[in-house]
């Protein structure tokens, strides 16, 4: 195998893509957009995961990066590997993919909260880059660490990333003591003396009414976040009904964006 680092322009990327093999995996547009955004922001760096050509000269790895170069219009550095034996490529692709926690060296639970906040603040369905995660961590990581130190226990639903994110947002907005204490009591199941809105959360969880019917994935996460924002805010402690409406969703996202800005992550 032969390696070299070169600057790949949109024109060169187009030429390389002409050598893309028919049996290559289906192009994932979301990944192309993610890479292109990183290139546009100037975050792209050459890594060992570059462009690979087989012994026959076929493009066998890198179609997403090349399409991102074309989409972004940027010229970026990439590692080119040529004359890759088929067996070596199959072995390489059989490994475990890197996660955001691997790339940032941050605890997985911390990355989950940072990722949720980034995606919610930008209304994006794309995964944030390691650079974006680390940048946000510089501003709000201490709040996440403080929550983990206050309550390191986990339990299904109550300690999911969206609920922890709500506690972190309330902490940034000046409600740390109230939000952290209530979060801990919910996680540990200490229901005696809970505010009305927190008891509504517990009851909905017990009877399976916390989420809308058939809600899953990001919809479920957002619904839980919106309700957790109500539960962990002292101004809603006397509310007896816990709802999920478009208006409440807008309010929760606005408070999240305000918290991120207040922490200095948005100028």
């Amino acid at each position: 195998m032969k390696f070299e680092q070169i600057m790949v322009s949109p024109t060169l990327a187009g030429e390389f893509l002409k050598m893309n093999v028919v049996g290559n995996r289906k192009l994932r547009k979301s990944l192309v957009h993610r890479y292109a955004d990183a290139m546009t922001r100037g975050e792209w760096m050459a890594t060992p995961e570059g462009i690979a050509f087989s012994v026959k000269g076929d493009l066998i790895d890198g179609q997403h990066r090349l399409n991102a170069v074309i989409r972004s219009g940027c010229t970026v550095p990439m590692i080119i590997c040529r004359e890759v034996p088929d067996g070596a490529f199959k072995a390489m692709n059989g490994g475990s993919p890197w996660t955001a926690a691997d790339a940032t060296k941050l605890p997985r639970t911390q990355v989950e909260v940072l990722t949720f906040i980034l995606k919610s603040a930008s209304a994006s369905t794309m995964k944030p880059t390691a650079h974006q995660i680390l940048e946000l961590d510089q501003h709000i990581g201490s709040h996440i660490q403080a929550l983990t130190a206050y309550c390191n226990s986990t339990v299904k639903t109550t300690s999911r990333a969206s609920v922890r994110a709500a506690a972190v947002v309330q902490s940034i907005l000046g409600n740390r003591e109230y939000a952290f204490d209530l979060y801990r009591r919910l996680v540990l199941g200490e229901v005696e003396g809970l505010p009305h809105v927190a008891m509504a959360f517990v009851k909905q969880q017990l009877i399976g009414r916390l989420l809308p019917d058939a809600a899953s994935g990001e919809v479920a996460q957002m619904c839980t976040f919106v309700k957790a924002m109500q539960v962990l805010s002292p101004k809603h402690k006397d509310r007896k009904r816990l709802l999920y409406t478009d208006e409440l969703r807008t309010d929760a996202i606005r408070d999240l964006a305000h918290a991120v800005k207040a922490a200095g992550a948005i100028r």
Side-chain angles (χ1 to χ4, degrees):
M1 292 186 287
K2 300 177 181 179
F3 296 87
E4 64 175 334
Q5 179 174 318
I6 65 173
M7 298 300 292
V8 179
S9 66
T11 300
L12 184 57
E15 292 298 315
F16 283 165
L17 284 170
K18 291 179 182 178
M19 295 177 272
N20 200 9
V21 295
V22 176
N24 216 331
R25 61 181 175 174
K26 184 178 179 180
L27 193 71
R28 291 165 52 197
K29 291 184 179 180
S30 61
L31 185 57
V32 172
H33 294 176
R34 179 184 173 194
Y35 287 163
D37 287 346
M39 293 173 185
T40 302
R41 290 192 301 268
E43 299 173 7
W44 188 264
M45 297 178 64
T47 71
E49 294 185 359
I51 309 301
F53 295 95
S54 69
V55 175
K56 297 178 181 179
D58 294 328
L59 176 68
I60 55 176
D61 191 26
Q63 62 169 336
H64 290 89
R65 299 175 186 85
L66 293 172
N67 275 282
V69 169
I70 295 173
R71 176 179 175 82
S72 68
C74 298
T75 297
V76 299
M78 288 190 183
I79 302 296
I80 308 297
C81 181
R82 303 182 187 275
E83 300 181 10
V84 179
D86 291 340
F89 179 69
K90 291 176 181 177
M92 179 177 66
N93 275 351
S96 298
W98 277 47
T99 65
D102 294 326
T104 60
K105 307 300 181 185
L106 295 173
R108 177 185 57 80
T109 52
Q110 188 155 330
V111 170
E112 289 173 349
V113 174
L114 291 166
T115 298
F116 177 85
I117 290 176
L118 279 167
K119 293 177 70 174
S120 299
S122 62
S124 174
T125 58
M126 291 189 292
K127 293 180 180 179
T129 64
H131 178 87
Q132 290 174 305
I133 291 172
L134 287 170
E135 186 175 18
L136 182 61
D137 183 68
Q138 291 179 1
H139 297 280
I140 70 170
S142 60
H143 292 271
I144 303 174
Q145 293 165 8
L147 177 64
T148 302
Y150 192 83
C151 180
N152 197 30
S153 300
T154 58
V155 63
K156 185 177 180 180
T157 303
T158 311
S159 61
R160 68 193 309 172
S162 51
V163 179
R164 284 180 280 132
V168 167
V169 168
Q170 293 296 345
S171 173
I172 298 171
L173 295 177
N175 302 319
R176 174 178 293 190
E177 184 177 353
Y178 182 87
F180 280 17
D181 180 65
L182 197 49
Y183 170 82
R184 181 179 180 276
R185 291 170 65 189
L186 287 169
V187 170
L188 298 180
E190 299 175 355
V191 299
E192 185 175 352
L194 284 178
H196 293 303
V197 70
M199 280 304 303
F201 184 93
V202 172
K203 290 177 181 178
Q204 288 187 11
Q205 188 177 353
L206 288 173
I207 64 176
R209 296 294 302 275
L210 189 62
L211 303 176
D213 293 339
S216 62
E218 294 181 358
V219 174
Q221 285 273 34
M222 179 53 65
C223 178
T224 308
F225 172 73
V226 171
K227 290 188 174 183
M229 284 290 288
Q230 298 169 64
V231 171
L232 301 177
S233 171
K235 69 180 182 180
H236 295 309
K237 64 180 181 180
D238 294 325
R239 178 177 291 179
K240 295 183 179 181
R241 298 184 64 194
L242 185 60
L243 304 173
Y244 177 72
T245 64
D246 289 341
E247 182 179 359
L248 288 169
R249 180 179 181 276
T250 299
D251 290 345
I253 294 177
R254 184 189 61 237
D255 287 344
L256 181 148
H258 177 70
V260 172
K261 184 176 182 179
I266 298 177
R267 294 177 176 83

